[in-house]
Amino acid sequence: IGEERKISLAPHCGSNPPILDPESGGGHVEKLADFNTYVSGSPECKHAVLLASDVYDAGFYAVVPDFFNGEPYDPNNPDRPKDAWMKDHSPVKGFEDAKLMIDALKSKGFSSIGAAGFCWGAKAVVELTKAELIQAAVILHPSYVTVADIK
């Protein structure tokens, strides 16, 4: 940023634009800042994530599995404290589930697979990297990732 560079796009960029399908996933499409935007989650929540990505335009097949099986952590649920929730949704289980996704993608013929992990998901991505199951990794706001993992 601040330095001008000539950026050349791959020839397939823009040939496969994203389709915002309100019938896919648990979210919906709405106008936000005059952009058609796929949104998911409670509008009552005061925390948000902006995902700025061009993976659709670059011809990638993108998958976003629900590793929590419809049960995201809810700090306001006294019947399901964090320790109890983590027993069912540990980062170790996330890694095991992610391996199943990698196997499923490979069975579909994908030979090069990358993964991005946010917060809890960063640990699964680090473990996939250590096991040499993926070819590219991105982690953001990593939780449960240790210095030993990075080394």
Side-chain angles (χ1 to χ4, degrees), residues 11 13-14 37 46 48 59 79 89 91-92 96 104 107 112 116 120 138 142 147 151:
C13 286
T37 307
K46 298 304 173 204
D79 297 328
H89 305 292
V92 172
E96 294 301 323
S107 75
S112 178
W120 174 97
V138 176
V147 173
K151 288 180 179 179

Side-chain angles (χ1 to χ4, degrees), residues 10-18 53-62 110 112:
H12 58 272
C13 286
S15 65
N16 184 22
S53 173
D54 68 348
V55 295
Y56 301 107
D57 286 343
F60 287 88
Y61 184 79
F110 293 99
S112 178

Side-chain angles (χ1 to χ4, degrees), residues 65-75 77 79-98 118-124 143-144:
D66 177 7
F67 286 136
F68 300 144
N69 295 310
E71 187 193 18
Y73 174 65
D74 179 0
N77 182 353
D79 297 328
R80 196 80 159 119
K82 187 175 182 180
D83 289 343
W85 183 87
M86 284 296 290
K87 284 182 183 177
D88 293 331
H89 305 292
S90 71
V92 172
K93 183 174 183 321
F95 169 56
E96 294 301 323
D97 291 345
F118 298 82
C119 195
W120 174 97
K123 181 66 173 180
S143 295
Y144 309 104

Side-chain angles (χ1 to χ4, degrees), residues 40-47:
S40 178
S42 170
E44 304 301 316
C45 181
K46 298 304 173 204
H47 305 284

Side-chain angles (χ1 to χ4, degrees), residues 19-24 26-32 35-40:
I19 298 171
L20 297 175
D21 182 359
E23 302 300 316
S24 297
H28 63 279
V29 177
E30 69 179 56
K31 282 281 191 189
L32 188 60
F35 293 97
N36 285 328
T37 307
Y38 180 81
V39 298
S40 178

Side-chain angles (χ1 to χ4, degrees), residues 124-149:
V125 170
V126 166
E127 294 300 322
L128 290 171
T129 303
K130 288 169 33 181
E132 298 182 3
L133 296 173
I134 58 176
Q135 288 67 52
V138 176
I139 60 173
L140 300 110
H141 186 338
S143 295
Y144 309 104
V145 175
T146 67
V147 173
D149 287 332

